[in-house]
Amino acid sequence: MDYRRGEMIYEGKAKRLYRVQDHPEWILQEFKDSLTAFNALKKGEFENKGRINRDITSLVFRFLKGKGIPSHRVADVGANEMVTEKLEMLKVEVVVRNVLAGSTAKKFAIEEGTPLEKPLTEFYYKEDKLADPFISDEQALMLKVVNTQGELDQLKRLALEVNKGLIEFFESVGLKLVDFKIEFGRRASDGAIVLADEITPDSCRLWDKKTGEKMDKDRFRRDLGNVKETYEEVCERLRQTWEKKV
Ligand code: ADP
Ligand code: UDP
């Protein structure tokens, strides 16, 4: 199918969004080569990053679809673009943790790498001006990120199902899923909540199971080097294992 790119409607830190001509129900997402951290205070880029993150997101969403978890993905286009359903994004980032790292490890002064007895779900208010603060369930309802406690429970349930799928997906290529962030949007036609945005080494912490090496955006955040090579390695492992199976 031929998707004709219309006007640009949004440029974010990692993607540009365009209309799709003759299809108001879809958008085209172009994955950029840029890399940002600490609410865009730190900026970088590398060649082919957009292609890698599009390819990884595509493999993840195809795999999850096979597990009965639908997403916004419609089709991949060109080297670094994806046509998706156009959704009204919920102003919440849902984080799931299997191992403590990053902000929550720091907040409670617990050593990074401490495993959790059961996965932890957390909500953050998606608002760059406020640097995406942590919010409680009641704050989420006060801020109207969703309409009801039932919908918040649905987000947690979906996030835990995604977690189960992703653990298996990354485990199969020798990577431990430490934590990740996902976003959801609402479909205008029926109000359904749909998994959206991207799932990539920008939005997950992945540690090599053999070496313990960090294989995600922490290489950029913490100046660990080999950022490009690491993203390429993750993408290559996933392609080899999953490209023909999903
Ligand atoms: P940011 O906005 O944080 O800089 P990006 O550069 O990744 O992040 O921009 C992509 C934007 O598109 C995000 O705001 C994300 O919430 C939004 N988005 C993701 N999927 C969809 C979708 N299916 N429909 C509408 N917006 C989406
Ligand atoms: N994350 C993300 N976008 C954000 C914040 C976090 O994709 O705006 C991801 C991050 O890559 C990690 C997980 O969510 O995989 C948990 O992040 P954390 O809260 O530990 O924040 P950080 O330490 O990255 O600031």
Side-chain angles (χ1 to χ4, degrees):
M1 180 153 183
D2 195 19
Y3 301 93
R4 278 175 305 136
R5 182 198 269 203
E7 68 176 295
M8 187 168 86
I9 48 179
Y10 175 81
E11 174 157 13
K13 299 183 287 291
K15 299 193 273 311
R16 292 187 191 93
L17 309 185
Y18 299 85
R19 289 188 206 289
V20 178
Q21 285 184 27
D22 305 324
H23 286 282
E25 75 281 23
W26 291 339
I27 52 172
L28 187 127
Q29 307 211 5
E30 179 195 333
F31 288 67
K32 304 199 293 185
D33 283 346
S34 54
L35 199 65
T36 63
F38 313 121
N39 208 12
L41 284 176
K42 180 168 178 164
K43 293 192 173 84
E45 64 176 333
F46 64 82
E47 207 187 333
N48 269 335
K49 194 239 178 192
R51 181 184 62 78
I52 289 170
N53 273 7
R54 193 289 305 271
D55 284 354
I56 295 174
T57 296
S58 174
L59 289 168
V60 172
F61 283 157
R62 283 148 59 194
F63 172 86
L64 290 176
K65 189 176 173 190
K67 297 272 168 194
I69 307 167
S71 75
H72 69 170
R73 178 179 174 274
V74 174
D76 300 342
V77 182
N80 62 338
E81 297 164 340
M82 182 182 287
V83 173
T84 72
E85 291 186 72
K86 181 181 200 294
L87 303 170
E88 190 177 322
M89 297 305 287
L90 305 185
K91 284 184 66 107
V92 65
E93 300 192 339
V94 185
V95 168
V96 180
R97 301 176 190 277
N98 298 301
V99 173
L100 266 196
S103 65
T104 302
K106 194 167 165 198
K107 183 172 177 178
F108 298 115
I110 299 175
E111 195 186 348
E112 183 157 274
T114 305
L116 292 162
E117 277 172 31
K118 62 176 196 151
L120 186 63
T121 55
E122 297 173 343
F123 294 130
Y124 291 83
Y125 189 45
K126 189 172 144 53
E127 180 57 80
D128 279 347
K129 278 188 297 216
L130 303 174
D132 301 342
F134 176 91
I135 49 173
S136 67
D137 280 30
E138 288 188 29
Q139 287 172 341
L141 292 174
M142 181 268 284
L143 294 164
K144 296 194 171 17
V145 306
V146 287
N147 300 322
T148 60
Q149 180 66 45
E151 285 187 340
L152 274 188
D153 293 340
Q154 186 189 350
L155 293 187
K156 286 186 208 172
R157 242 184 354 258
L158 280 168
L160 290 174
E161 277 176 38
V162 170
N163 185 44
K164 253 194 211 153
L166 290 185
I167 288 174
E168 179 190 336
F169 183 72
F170 287 117
E171 171 110 26
S172 71
V173 297
L175 296 171
K176 174 159 46 171
L177 178 66
V178 171
D179 59 30
F180 65 91
K181 178 269 306 183
I182 46 178
E183 296 183 21
F184 296 90
R186 202 183 283 281
R187 195 188 286 137
S189 57
D190 61 0
I193 289 176
V194 180
L195 176 63
D197 203 48
E198 65 175 67
I199 298 183
T200 64
D202 281 4
S203 61
C204 301
R205 283 197 170 90
L206 303 165
W207 293 353
D208 188 89
K209 289 179 76 89
K210 274 202 203 115
T211 63
E213 191 95 54
K214 296 188 195 322
M215 303 290 283
D216 56 59
K217 195 158 92 173
D218 274 347
R219 301 208 72 82
F220 171 70
R221 290 190 190 97
R222 302 179 188 189
D223 296 318
L224 301 175
N226 290 334
V227 180
K228 179 178 200 274
E229 293 74 11
T230 300
Y231 277 63
E232 282 169 348
E233 165 85 20
V234 171
C235 190
E236 203 39 49
R237 288 194 205 178
L238 291 171
R239 268 204 208 106
Q240 279 184 15
T241 304
W242 291 107
E243 184 60 52
K244 295 203 177 73
K245 295 193 196 148
V246 288

